[in-house]
Amino acid sequence: MKSPQYFTRNRLVSHLRFATAVTLMSASAAIAFVAVKPSGPLLLGKVDNKSAINKFREARAQFLRNKLALPGPEREGGPTAAADEEYANRAYPAAYVPFELTRTAHAAWSHATARALARATQPLAQWTLVGPSSANDPDVLTFSGAPYTTSGRVTGLALAPNCSQDHCTLYLAAAGGGIWKTNHALDTTPSQNWHFISGSFATNAIGTLVIDPTDPTGNTLYAGTGESHASADSEAGFGIYKTTNGGDTWTHLAAHTDVPAGTGVNCNAIFGTGGFRTAPAYSGPAFDGRAISSIIIDSNNPNVIYVGSTRAVRGVSSVLSGGVVTLAPGLPPYGLWKSTDGGATFTLLNYKDVCLNPTLPGDAGIIQSSFGSTRGVNRVEFDPSTSSTLYAAAFPQNNAVPINTKGGVWRSRDAGANWRQIKSALNPALNTDRAEFAVSKLANGNTRMYVGDGNSSDVGANRARFYRSDDVATGLPTFTDLTTDQNIGYCTAQCWYDNVVYSPPGRPGIVYLGGSFSYATYGFSTNGRAFLRSSDAGASFTDMTWDATTNPTPPGSCCQPNSIAPNGMHPDSHAIVQVPGSNITFFGSDGGIVRSSAGFSDISSQCTTERGLSGADLALCQQLLSAVPTELFTTYNDGLSTLQFQSVSVNPSNANNLMGGTQDNGTFEKPSNSTTAWPQKIYGDGGQSGFNVGNTAFRFNSFFLNFHDVNFRNGNPLKWVIASGPIVASGESSQFYAPIVADPVSAGTIFQGSLSVWRTQDWAGNQAFLEANCPEFTTSGANPACGDFVPIGPAGATNLTADGGYRGTGRTGGNVAALARAGSDAATLWAATTTGRLFISKNAHAAAGSVSYTRLDSLAVSLSIPLTRIMPGSRIQVIAPSRRRHRGTCSPSRTALARAQPRGRTSMEREGRRSQTFRPQAWRLILAGVISMSLTTGAC
């Protein structure tokens, strides 16, 4: 994989999000206050022979580095510093995005739906799924060399009681695809019968799923919305839903809470500014705008519920691998919550004030958090012997005094009233430090706990470690460090994102560790370590990632270094559940779900016959391969429509032919004759994609940052070539998914945005040269000879984020966030930056150094535009916030959508009547149905 550029602590990274369908809507957002999860390729690296793969082995950990995450900003530095939060979270010209707007939008949609149903004369437009229901990775593009059917990120798995071969109900929760159910989970035929059961939810972002232990039928479930994995696309949720009939119908828990004003926090101690501040009181839903990590129900009293919550992002962007955490006023505190009335009300436990950002209006950055955690609570469990004893794991305290403390694992012996830390964090100075644990009851009645802990570093003492204590219910437990070369660093540098510790109920000697993927060692001393299993209480482990099948490696395989191609798992593990009384296990990851057989096989002979290892590598390999799954079933994702698309491109000659990039699953194509089965065209993170208007057999894809490929053969997986070497070699920074568009008029022309706008006019270069010298599998993405992109604009002044000349001053920094080419001519190009600059070029087709821009956002504007209802075919649309005020400010809680006319008056029509002339706080112009811009014109 290509190695990404890491952002510095003080880099301002906000973005102007543009929709790619009809209009491009302006909005500010940024990477902020979360650890960015740049998810990587399903696969990389050419392996035609042993010498090739051995040479590649030396560098492939670096090539696959986009699997490693960018850290969060609060204390250790990262994409944006905490001091940048005020800027990064702006929705220009407002200071923040009120969460009330989201609630209002849901209410408005429900109201509109109800009205349409009542009238029954003109039903609302119906959406039709165009796929994929079967997303198929070809064998040449997988790590193991075997084909794989994939789906989107799985965040939870729940298995109903009484699972048998004839009837076994499994529930699956997806990060962006809602909840799915099958009643035949043990059926290993190629296609599962999955049913989508969460259509009534306000969101498809699911964080956790749990079956009520007091319901022997398994029909009572609780679903926590909002994903808690701390990545930049871990979307916020809308609380908890409950079903008592297996998902046929759901009830949204009221989850009301009243949290009084806090006791204060010294922001000076954290940021050197801000003074002593007090978190405001909160009254409302406990979980709206947050993510839910854990739900546990008291088996003796189902009215007693504990919930762990974390911060989460809002506003996922197609150019940022995610959204931003908006610390807007009115969002609830986060941490550990308790309900004694079945979820009608909740109480926040063991909380204190934290100072996340002292500069935000309305004290939005001063809030209460359990255990003083910067990020929240990631795991809650009952003691297996008594529900009055419970355990919780929290991210460290980095934004309250004493700073850089706490985190780790905590215990309460009085139903949550009082807490004691029983396992310290590996490194509490890193707010990404995440401890996961599992508890089980030993034969002597004691409680055993397994703990895995790591953070955003995979170096030295920060490498993830594994511990066990055999008596944690009382006193101060003693933990034994069971870290060995088999499990050290199992979640690499993104333990905040993928860290799983699981011990099947009633089997205290079995423990599973789930992490990311060992890119530097897979196919050699390991099988990848996506999941590890121990059957001797953590003393030793074996690798579950590949099975014992021995099909031959396909010719041209990108990534399998050996001659055999077993079935394999996808990297990045998040969920696991085992069938009681069996070794059959379901594993959830960024690539959906995989099931193992009940048996294990010793394939350690491959360490010498296939891999030619010796010394320590041989010993490690022999242990890890001594008991692998006899078979992994990798078609369980068939029928799931949960892939997380970043964007979609349409074949200009055939609207039924699409391509789209997906989170951690590469780029897929919808064939024109299929709405269900989509083949993967190339691995990796999938960003933007496109077709050549002059020859649609020519395609491009995006991995991340400035790394792009082109293909001249209808997306043949073996024929992708490096196309953006000059951009990468230039050192220019970019958004995580850099904006890149195919020209809608000029064949062969592509525009890409980094700091400058870059252009090729011949699809990156000569086909024969690129295919001979720049093949994707074996070529560095930074090779400047691969591709002929050049920056366009005045010589020495192509950087649109800098000051001077046509660029003016103000709103400097950031990256190009969006590009749009007008389809009406060959010359008009729009470009916008993450900081809110907007440019237009009317000669984008000219020689590179002759291209000129005009900056629009800084122009003096005096608008006098009549507003009417939006009409089909409008060439200029206006969106203006209403005059209604909220807390003394102009609120965009209601907007008027209008069409501009060339007349000199300003008015607005609402609900069929015209209102008085007014001056809005900001106008958003949608020009020619292509792009929107916000222009400040005065106060309400």
Side-chain angles (χ1 to χ4, degrees):
M1 190 55 187
K2 289 88 172 175
S3 178
Q5 301 170 359
Y6 279 71
F7 296 93
T8 62
R9 175 179 175 84
N10 293 316
R11 183 162 187 79
L12 294 177
V13 186
S14 58
H15 75 271
L16 193 61
R17 185 189 180 191
F18 283 67
T20 58
V22 180
T23 60
L24 300 175
M25 300 299 297
S26 159
S28 290
I31 308 172
F33 263 60
V34 288
V36 178
K37 177 4 183 99
S39 32
L42 185 52
L43 319 152
L44 231 315
K46 169 88 165 161
V47 290
D48 282 339
N49 53 59
K50 276 286 184 184
S51 61
I53 191 64
N54 285 333
K55 181 178 180 181
F56 176 61
R57 183 188 183 191
E58 300 172 3
R60 63 177 172 164
Q62 176 184 359
F63 276 99
L64 296 164
R65 188 64 60 184
N66 81 325
K67 272 295 179 188
L68 306 183
L70 302 180
E74 285 85 348
R75 294 297 303 168
E76 80 277 20
T80 55
D84 299 330
E85 178 77 356
E86 178 181 15
Y87 183 86
N89 283 339
R90 290 170 54 169
Y92 186 84
Y96 55 86
V97 179
F99 190 72
E100 186 59 32
L101 291 185
T102 310
R103 292 193 183 106
T104 301
H106 281 290
W109 174 249
S110 298
H111 180 60
T113 303
R115 286 198 304 172
L117 292 175
R119 292 174 180 173
T121 55
Q122 189 176 0
L124 295 175
Q126 298 296 308
W127 288 90
T128 301
L129 178 68
V130 297
S133 295
S134 183
N136 302 305
D137 301 343
D139 51 11
V140 295
L141 294 183
T142 67
F143 281 129
S144 71
Y148 183 88
T149 301
T150 193
S151 69
R153 186 160 74 237
V154 170
T155 54
L157 296 168
L159 197 63
N162 306 313
C163 174
S164 66
Q165 185 65 42
D166 293 334
H167 189 278
C168 184
T169 300
L170 177 68
Y171 300 91
L172 178 149
I179 300 175
W180 297 71
K181 173 184 178 179
T182 179
N183 290 321
H184 301 283
L186 299 185
D187 185 356
T188 59
T189 55
S191 180
Q192 275 292 320
N193 189 17
W194 289 103
H195 301 280
F196 179 61
I197 61 173
S198 59
S200 63
F201 286 20
T203 177
N204 278 330
I206 311 298
T208 190
L209 190 63
V210 63
I211 294 176
D212 186 339
T214 67
D215 180 1
T217 68
N219 287 324
T220 301
L221 287 87
Y222 292 82
T225 65
E227 186 192 7
S228 64
H229 289 145
S231 67
D233 60 357
S234 293
E235 183 69 28
F238 283 89
I240 299 172
Y241 290 82
K242 177 184 178 180
T243 179
T244 58
N245 53 18
D248 290 342
T249 59
W250 296 83
T251 301
H252 186 254
L253 301 188
H256 180 83
T257 190
D258 291 296
V259 181
T263 57
V265 57
N266 182 4
C267 293
N268 285 342
I270 296 103
F271 297 106
T273 187
F276 190 84
R277 306 285 285 277
T278 300
Y282 175 82
S283 180
F287 308 113
D288 282 8
R290 299 302 185 195
I292 295 177
S293 60
S294 293
I295 301 173
I296 57 174
I297 300 99
D298 192 336
S299 59
N300 300 309
N301 181 0
N303 285 322
V304 176
I305 305 171
Y306 295 88
V307 176
S309 71
T310 68
R311 288 159 42 197
V313 305
R314 294 166 52 208
V316 174
S317 162
S318 67
V319 296
L320 192 58
S321 177
V324 298
V325 170
T326 304
L327 298 175
L331 287 177
Y334 54 87
L336 181 57
W337 300 82
K338 179 178 181 180
S339 175
T340 57
D341 53 14
T345 62
F346 277 88
T347 301
L348 184 64
L349 303 179
N350 196 41
Y351 63 90
K352 66 183 300 182
D353 289 7
V354 295
C355 180
L356 299 175
N357 189 327
T359 66
L360 295 180
D363 282 330
I366 316 298
I367 202 163
Q368 299 97 329
S369 170
S370 297
F371 308 104
S373 174
T374 290
R375 295 184 181 275
V377 170
N378 56 279
R379 181 65 54 198
V380 187
E381 295 288 352
F382 285 118
D383 187 274
S385 298
T386 173
S387 60
S388 63
T389 297
L390 59 153
Y391 308 91
F395 288 96
Q397 174 176 293
N398 309 104
N399 293 79
V401 179
I403 63 172
N404 300 337
T405 58
K406 300 183 179 179
V409 183
W410 298 70
R411 181 190 67 209
S412 172
R413 301 188 64 215
D414 51 11
N418 296 282
W419 291 85
R420 179 178 187 176
Q421 187 184 41
I422 62 171
K423 178 70 181 70
S424 60
L426 183 65
N427 186 349
L430 299 179
N431 66 43
T432 53
D433 197 280
R434 173 181 169 187
E436 283 291 332
F437 66 88
V439 290
S440 57
K441 186 176 181 178
L442 298 175
N444 63 5
N446 290 346
T447 299
R448 169 176 286 170
M449 177 180 285
Y450 297 104
V451 177
D453 195 351
N455 46 61
S456 53
S457 173
D458 194 32
V459 178
N462 281 318
R463 299 196 71 192
R465 305 190 71 83
F466 175 70
Y467 309 87
R468 189 191 81 205
S469 174
D470 288 343
D471 188 6
V472 296
T474 60
L476 183 60
T478 299
F479 282 86
T480 301
D481 190 338
L482 296 178
T483 307
T484 67
D485 60 349
Q486 299 162 31
N487 57 38
I488 190 168
Y490 66 93
C491 45
T492 64
Q494 55 183 53
C495 301
W496 46 268
Y497 176 71
D498 38 27
N499 186 0
V500 181
V501 180
Y502 173 76
S503 183
R507 305 182 70 182
I510 305 294
V511 61
Y512 289 84
L513 285 178
S516 53
F517 200 83
S518 297
Y519 299 102
T521 61
Y522 85 87
F524 292 95
S525 59
T526 79
N527 278 349
R529 301 196 309 169
F531 264 102
L532 296 167
R533 180 182 185 269
S534 173
S535 59
D536 55 10
S540 64
F541 284 86
T542 57
D543 198 334
M544 300 290 102
T545 312
W546 291 352
D547 67 14
T549 57
T550 57
N551 291 318
T553 297
S557 170
C558 72
C559 313
Q560 173 54 269
N562 303 307
S563 67
I564 57 176
N567 298 314
M569 293 182 184
H570 191 286
D572 296 321
S573 303
H574 304 291
I576 183 174
V577 67
Q578 189 171 94
V579 177
S582 168
N583 287 322
I584 294 174
T585 307
F586 297 92
F587 304 91
S589 71
D590 275 12
I593 182 174
V594 167
R595 203 209 92 174
S596 72
S597 59
F600 301 96
S601 298
D602 184 346
I603 60 169
S604 58
S605 62
Q606 294 180 15
C607 300
T608 53
T609 60
E610 281 288 328
R611 308 184 186 192
L613 301 176
S614 62
D617 282 348
L618 175 60
L620 175 59
C621 177
Q622 288 175 331
Q623 170 58 41
L624 291 178
L625 272 60
S626 63
V628 305
T630 301
E631 187 171 1
L632 290 173
F633 300 97
T634 60
T635 61
Y636 266 71
N637 292 304
D638 199 26
L640 291 173
S641 297
T642 60
L643 280 178
Q644 295 169 274
F645 279 89
Q646 299 297 326
S647 64
V648 174
S649 58
V650 181
N651 184 329
S653 301
N654 185 347
N656 289 318
N657 183 205
L658 311 174
M659 285 199 306
T662 64
Q663 186 271 328
D664 209 9
N665 278 287
T667 298
F668 286 82
E669 178 183 17
K670 176 197 174 297
S672 58
N673 61 351
S674 173
T675 59
T676 56
W678 293 33
Q680 185 191 55
K681 307 308 288 185
I682 188 62
Y683 48 53
D685 260 302
Q688 324 305 325
S689 60
F691 298 82
N692 186 340
V693 68
N695 183 348
T696 57
F698 291 13
R699 318 285 179 84
F700 73 75
N701 85 297
S702 300
F703 293 110
F704 71 111
L705 299 179
N706 291 323
F707 296 100
H708 313 282
D709 283 4
V710 296
N711 189 296
F712 301 95
R713 301 174 185 255
N714 283 303
N716 183 331
L718 298 176
K719 295 298 181 179
W720 290 92
V721 296
I722 304 299
S724 57
I727 309 177
V728 178
S730 75
E732 286 199 9
S733 64
S734 74
Q735 293 299 95
F736 184 77
Y737 296 117
I740 179 170
V741 296
D743 195 293
V745 175
S746 301
T749 297
I750 305 172
F751 294 92
Q752 192 265 8
S754 296
L755 297 179
S756 308
V757 175
W758 294 70
R759 186 188 68 192
T760 175
Q761 294 179 298
D762 58 0
W763 214 249
N766 178 270
Q767 176 181 349
F769 174 86
L770 292 173
E771 290 185 344
N773 297 282
C774 303
E776 160 60 29
F777 292 170
T778 57
T779 310
S780 167
N783 186 337
C786 295
D788 61 3
F789 278 89
V790 294
I792 59 174
T798 61
N799 182 347
L800 299 184
T801 71
D803 279 342
Y806 70 94
R807 297 165 298 190
T809 60
R811 300 185 193 171
T812 59
N815 301 298
V816 174
L819 297 171
R821 262 281 294 115
S824 56
D825 60 43
T828 303
L829 171 74
W830 300 83
T833 73
T834 57
T835 59
R837 288 183 172 188
L838 179 63
F839 297 88
I840 185 172
S841 172
K842 299 299 291 184
N843 67 337
H845 61 330
S850 299
V851 173
S852 61
Y853 299 94
T854 299
R855 183 174 168 185
L856 300 179
D857 61 285
S858 59
L859 297 178
V861 177
S862 178
L863 292 181
S864 183
I865 303 175
L867 301 174
T868 64
R869 287 188 180 276
I870 187 168
M871 299 295 291
S874 298
R875 298 299 293 170
I876 301 180
Q877 300 170 4
V878 179
I879 302 176
S882 75
R883 299 186 67 188
R884 194 173 75 184
R885 293 178 178 268
H886 176 66
R887 295 184 181 177
T889 64
C890 297
S891 170
S893 59
R894 179 175 179 175
T895 61
L897 302 180
R899 172 175 146 185
Q901 304 289 342
R903 296 188 294 272
R905 62 185 184 276
T906 303
S907 59
M908 181 173 69
E909 182 180 73
R910 285 199 190 118
E911 302 299 331
R913 64 184 184 278
R914 304 187 75 81
S915 67
Q916 70 275 23
T917 299
F918 69 99
R919 298 184 68 202
Q921 183 184 22
W923 298 90
R924 180 171 293 159
L925 300 183
I926 307 175
L927 304 177
V930 175
I931 196 166
S932 74
M933 58 184 288
S934 294
L935 301 171
T936 301
T937 61
C940 290

